[in-house]
Amino acid sequence: MKNLIDCPAERAVYFLGGKWKIRILFSLLQSKKIRFGELKKGLKTITQQMLSKQLKELEGDGIINRNVIRIMPPNVEYSLTEFGFSVMPILRSFSEWNKRNTRTISVKLNKNFEENRIR
C-alpha cells in the first residue's frame, strides 16, 4: 500500500483518530444532545481548546451537528448526524472486542502502555 487512501480500514481509523474523538462520539450517543460545558465536564482532562478543535473537526467531517440556541448567553448543543450514527456499530464492535480480549490486550500492552495517554 503506497498511501493511506489505498487502505479503506486505515482511512476510517485515520478519519476518527485522535485521543478524544471516539470518547466524544460515545458521549453524544449516550446523551443524544449535549452542551459544550457538559461534554467538557464528562471528559475531565480535555482542555477547552482541544475539545473545541475536535468538535470543529467532527462537525467539518459531517459526523456531528452544532446547534446554536439563540438565548442570552447563547448555548451550543452538539448531536450526532445520521452519518455519525452510522459509525457507532463499528465503535461498539471495537468496544466488545476489547471486553472479550481484555486479558490479552492488557498483557500485550503492559510493557509499553501508558495509562495517562488515554485519560
Side-chain angles (χ1 to χ4, degrees):
M1 289 182 211
K2 294 178 185 169
N3 62 43
L4 192 62
I5 294 172
D6 292 337
C7 178
E10 193 171 354
R11 276 180 57 201
V13 169
Y14 181 80
F15 190 69
L16 295 170
K19 180 177 178 179
W20 299 104
K21 286 183 181 177
I22 292 173
R23 291 180 190 193
I24 291 168
L25 294 176
F26 272 110
S27 294
L28 287 170
L29 181 67
Q30 292 170 343
S31 299
K32 304 297 181 216
K33 291 182 181 179
I34 193 166
R35 291 185 182 161
F36 185 93
E38 295 171 277
L39 197 49
K40 173 139 180 22
K41 186 178 177 183
L43 295 173
K44 294 181 179 129
T45 60
I46 193 171
T47 65
Q48 187 166 335
Q49 182 180 0
M50 179 56 72
L51 178 56
S52 182
K53 179 181 184 270
Q54 297 292 284
L55 289 168
K56 284 177 185 173
E57 287 179 12
L58 288 166
E59 181 186 12
D61 292 337
I63 296 173
I64 65 170
N65 289 314
R66 181 179 186 269
N67 182 30
V68 179
I69 302 165
R70 303 208 184 276
I71 60 173
M72 287 311 276
N75 285 321
V76 179
E77 287 183 338
Y78 295 92
S79 60
L80 292 170
T81 63
E82 187 175 327
F83 181 51
F85 276 111
S86 75
V87 76
M88 295 315 294
I90 297 160
L91 297 181
R92 283 191 192 114
S93 292
F94 271 126
S95 182
E96 289 302 315
W97 175 79
N98 180 63
K99 287 176 188 173
R100 286 192 308 273
N101 296 286
T102 296
R103 177 179 276 181
T104 302
I105 291 168
S106 295
V107 169
K108 299 288 185 190
L109 293 178
N110 193 34
K111 293 179 184 171
N112 58 8
F113 186 68
E114 296 177 36
E115 190 70 25
N116 292 336
R117 208 176 73 184
I118 62 167
R119 290 188 191 252

